[in-house]
Amino acid sequence: MRILKIVWILFILLNVYDVILSVLYWWKGNMTFEENYFIWYYYYYEGHISLILALMMVISIKLLFFTGVYWYTRLFDLFKVGKYKWLSLLPFIAISIIIDANNTFILLFNYAPPI
């Protein structure tokens, strides 16, 4: 049960890091580098999106994502394999790590100090 808590905390921290990186992009005014399709769609048709609206969109999407992942992990209890519930979070953690690494490299590439 302890490994499940550690995996959930890792999953939450990775997604909080993603939101923080997104806010750093938006603060600089670079919505086009954001990896969120909902924001791209809104930005494409409206031409401008405020920082507060983008932040509210991302937080609501993350909450829906957390809810979906939570109920997905509950399926392991339904199928009587609750002790392996932490395995159900590994694909989501892997995807979060890939997205965070990609966003970090984009941020470093665009805003690295000159040598």
Side-chain angles (χ1 to χ4, degrees), residues 5 10 46 57 91 98:
K5 290 180 184 178
L10 179 64
E46 294 296 322
M57 286 173 68
I98 290 169

Side-chain angles (χ1 to χ4, degrees), residues 10-19 62 65-66 96 100:
L10 179 64
F11 178 66
I12 290 170
L13 288 177
L14 285 169
N15 283 288
V16 167
Y17 178 73
D18 182 38
V19 170
K62 291 292 182 184
F65 181 58
F66 286 150
S96 295
D100 288 346

Side-chain angles (χ1 to χ4, degrees), residues 14-76:
L14 285 169
N15 283 288
V16 167
Y17 178 73
D18 182 38
V19 170
I20 290 171
L21 274 181
S22 297
V23 169
L24 286 176
Y25 284 141
W26 303 331
W27 210 302
K28 298 287 188 175
N30 292 326
M31 290 292 179
T32 57
F33 291 122
E34 177 56 37
E35 302 262 336
N36 191 324
Y37 294 110
F38 295 106
I39 292 182
W40 275 353
Y41 185 77
Y42 187 87
Y43 187 76
Y44 178 75
Y45 285 107
E46 294 296 322
H48 176 71
I49 185 171
S50 68
L51 177 68
I52 300 299
L53 179 61
L55 190 60
M56 287 184 354
M57 286 173 68
V58 166
I59 289 173
S60 63
I61 291 168
K62 291 292 182 184
L63 289 174
L64 286 171
F65 181 58
F66 286 150
T67 305
V69 170
Y70 172 76
W71 286 109
Y72 173 73
T73 58
R74 297 290 290 177
L75 286 174
F76 279 60

Side-chain angles (χ1 to χ4, degrees), residues 88-106:
S88 66
L89 288 171
L90 292 182
F92 299 109
I93 288 176
I95 290 169
S96 295
I97 288 173
I98 290 169
I99 289 172
D100 288 346
N102 185 29
N103 286 342
T104 303
F105 288 137
I106 290 172

